[in-house]
Amino acid sequence: MAHNIHTQALALAALLTLGGCSSIAQSTNNLSDERLKSEAAGALGLQPSQLTLLNRRTEGTNTFYAVKGQDGKEYSCTLNGGNLLSFGMTNPPSCNRKSG
């Protein structure tokens, strides 16, 4: 187990020397569209099946995305993590209703 962690740490250190943290986080983002909908649904008190993913973009360690509920309400969400630098872990998303 300790050998595995040491190997992962060395691999991460090597990647960090090859490029900037932000580009590594972005290129190793492993968040699926379904995961984004599921995370937003949890934050909004809805079921993932009640949401449609409208768009997404990743910048550094953050994924910015918009979802639309079956009631027509749209939300902008930000999710931090889900990449090599965070070992795939995420923080709960922040979702705000779009005005309009």
Side-chain angles (χ1 to χ4, degrees):
M1 176 87 165
H3 176 71
N4 237 3
I5 293 171
H6 181 68
T7 303
Q8 289 176 346
L10 285 175
L12 181 59
L15 284 172
L16 290 174
T17 24
L18 294 174
C21 293
S22 180
S23 63
I24 291 170
Q26 187 169 335
S27 65
T28 62
N29 183 293
N30 63 6
L31 297 171
S32 68
D33 291 353
E34 290 305 312
R35 171 85 185 269
L36 293 176
K37 284 183 6 179
S38 178
E39 293 284 345
L44 298 169
L46 301 170
Q47 295 297 315
S49 61
Q50 295 175 289
L51 295 174
T52 301
L53 183 67
L54 300 176
N55 59 55
R56 67 180 287 171
R57 81 177 191 289
T58 301
E59 292 180 14
T61 59
N62 291 319
T63 299
F64 303 92
Y65 60 107
V67 292
K68 183 176 186 176
Q70 289 176 336
D71 60 3
K73 295 177 184 171
E74 292 185 19
Y75 302 88
S76 296
C77 301
T78 303
L79 184 66
N80 179 266
N83 53 60
L84 180 66
L85 296 178
S86 67
F87 298 101
M89 295 182 288
T90 61
N91 291 309
S94 169
C95 294
N96 299 302
R97 185 166 173 206
K98 291 184 175 183
S99 58

